[in-house]
Coordinates of all heavy atoms in Angstrom, one line a residue:
L20 N 8.0 286.9 133.6 CA 7.2 288.1 133.9 C 6.3 288.5 132.8 O 6.6 288.4 131.7 CB 8.2 289.3 134.2 CG 9.2 289.1 135.2 CD1 10.2 290.3 135.2 CD2 8.6 289.0 136.6
D22 N 4.4 292.1 132.0 CA 4.5 293.5 132.5 C 3.6 294.4 131.6 O 3.1 294.0 130.6 CB 5.9 294.0 132.5 CG 6.7 293.5 133.6 OD1 6.4 294.0 134.7 OD2 7.5 292.6 133.5
M25 N 7.2 297.7 128.0 CA 8.6 297.4 127.8 C 9.1 298.4 126.7 O 8.5 298.5 125.6 CB 8.8 296.0 127.3 CG 10.2 295.7 127.2 SD 10.6 294.2 126.3 CE 10.0 294.6 124.7
S26 N 10.2 299.0 127.0 CA 10.9 299.8 126.0 C 12.3 299.4 125.9 O 12.9 298.8 126.8 CB 10.8 301.3 126.3 OG 11.6 301.6 127.5
H28 N 15.1 301.0 125.8 CA 16.1 301.7 126.8 C 15.6 301.7 128.2 O 16.3 301.8 129.1 CB 16.4 303.1 126.3 CG 17.1 303.0 124.9 ND1 18.3 302.5 124.7 CD2 16.6 303.4 123.7 CE1 18.7 302.6 123.4 NE2 17.6 303.1 122.8
G29 N 14.2 301.7 128.4 CA 13.7 301.8 129.7 C 13.4 300.4 130.4 O 13.2 300.4 131.6
G30 N 13.5 299.4 129.6 CA 13.3 298.0 130.2 C 11.8 297.8 130.5 O 10.9 298.3 129.9
L31 N 11.6 296.9 131.4 CA 10.3 296.5 131.8 C 9.7 297.4 132.9 O 10.5 297.8 133.8 CB 10.2 295.1 132.4 CG 10.6 293.9 131.4 CD1 10.6 292.6 132.2 CD2 9.7 293.9 130.2
S32 N 8.5 297.7 132.8 CA 7.9 298.5 133.9 C 6.4 298.1 134.1 O 5.8 297.4 133.3 CB 7.9 300.0 133.5 OG 7.3 300.3 132.3
A39 N 5.8 296.0 140.9 CA 7.1 296.1 140.5 C 8.1 295.7 141.6 O 9.1 295.0 141.3 CB 7.4 297.6 140.1
K42 N 8.2 291.8 141.6 CA 8.9 291.4 140.4 C 10.4 291.6 140.5 O 11.2 290.7 140.2 CB 8.4 292.0 139.1 CG 7.0 291.5 138.8 CD 6.4 292.3 137.7 CE 4.9 291.9 137.4 NZ 4.3 292.5 136.3
R43 N 10.8 292.7 141.1 CA 12.2 293.0 141.3 C 12.8 291.9 142.3 O 14.0 291.5 142.1 CB 12.5 294.4 141.8 CG 12.3 295.5 140.7 CD 12.8 296.8 141.1 NE 12.0 297.4 142.3 CZ 11.0 298.2 142.2 NH1 10.6 298.6 141.0 NH2 10.5 298.7 143.3
I46 N 13.3 288.7 140.3 CA 14.4 288.9 139.4 C 15.7 288.8 140.1 O 16.7 288.1 139.6 CB 14.3 290.3 138.7 CG1 13.2 290.2 137.7 CG2 15.6 290.6 138.0 CD1 12.8 291.6 137.1
V52 N 15.7 285.9 133.1 CA 14.5 286.7 133.2 C 13.9 286.6 131.8 O 14.5 287.0 130.8 CB 14.8 288.1 133.6 CG1 13.5 288.9 133.6 CG2 15.5 288.2 134.9
A54 N 10.4 287.6 129.7 CA 9.3 288.5 129.7 C 8.3 288.1 128.6 O 8.7 287.8 127.5 CB 9.7 289.9 129.5
A67 N 6.1 302.3 137.2 CA 7.1 301.7 138.1 C 8.1 300.8 137.4 O 7.7 299.8 136.8 CB 6.3 300.9 139.2
P68 N 9.4 301.2 137.4 CA 10.4 300.3 136.8 C 10.5 299.0 137.4 O 10.4 298.8 138.6 CB 11.7 301.1 136.9 CG 11.4 302.3 137.7 CD 9.9 302.3 138.1
V69 N 10.7 297.9 136.6 CA 10.9 296.6 137.0 C 12.3 296.1 136.8 O 13.0 295.7 137.8 CB 9.9 295.6 136.3 CG1 10.2 294.2 136.7 CG2 8.5 296.0 136.7
C70 N 12.8 296.2 135.6 CA 14.2 295.8 135.4 C 14.7 296.4 134.0 O 13.9 296.7 133.2 CB 14.4 294.3 135.3 SG 13.9 293.4 133.9
R71 N 16.0 296.6 134.0 CA 16.6 297.1 132.8 C 16.6 296.1 131.7 O 16.5 294.9 131.9 CB 18.0 297.5 133.0 CG 18.1 298.7 134.0 CD 19.5 299.1 134.4 NE 20.6 298.3 133.7 CZ 21.9 298.5 133.8 NH1 22.3 299.5 134.7 NH2 22.7 297.8 133.2
T72 N 16.6 296.5 130.4 CA 16.6 295.6 129.3 C 17.8 294.6 129.3 O 17.6 293.5 128.9 CB 16.6 296.4 128.0 OG1 15.6 297.4 128.1 CG2 16.3 295.6 126.8
D73 N 18.9 295.1 129.7 CA 20.1 294.2 129.7 C 20.0 293.1 130.7 O 20.9 292.2 130.7 CB 21.4 295.0 129.9 CG 21.5 295.8 131.2 OD1 20.6 295.6 132.0 OD2 22.5 296.5 131.3
R74 N 19.0 293.1 131.6 CA 18.8 292.0 132.5 C 18.0 290.9 131.9 O 17.9 289.8 132.5 CB 18.2 292.5 133.8 CG 17.9 291.5 134.9 CD 19.2 291.0 135.4 NE 19.0 290.1 136.6 CZ 18.9 288.8 136.5 NH1 19.0 288.2 135.3 NH2 18.7 288.0 137.6
L75 N 17.3 291.1 130.8 CA 16.5 290.2 130.1 C 17.3 289.1 129.4 O 18.2 289.4 128.7 CB 15.5 290.8 129.1 CG 14.5 291.8 129.7 CD1 13.8 292.5 128.5 CD2 13.5 291.1 130.6

Side-chain angles (χ1 to χ4, degrees):
L20 301 172
D22 282 288
M25 185 193 65
S26 68
H28 298 291
L31 297 176
S32 55
K42 292 174 183 182
R43 287 192 296 265
I46 290 168
V52 178
V69 173
C70 79
R71 295 178 2 180
T72 308
D73 62 4
R74 182 64 175 95
L75 296 173

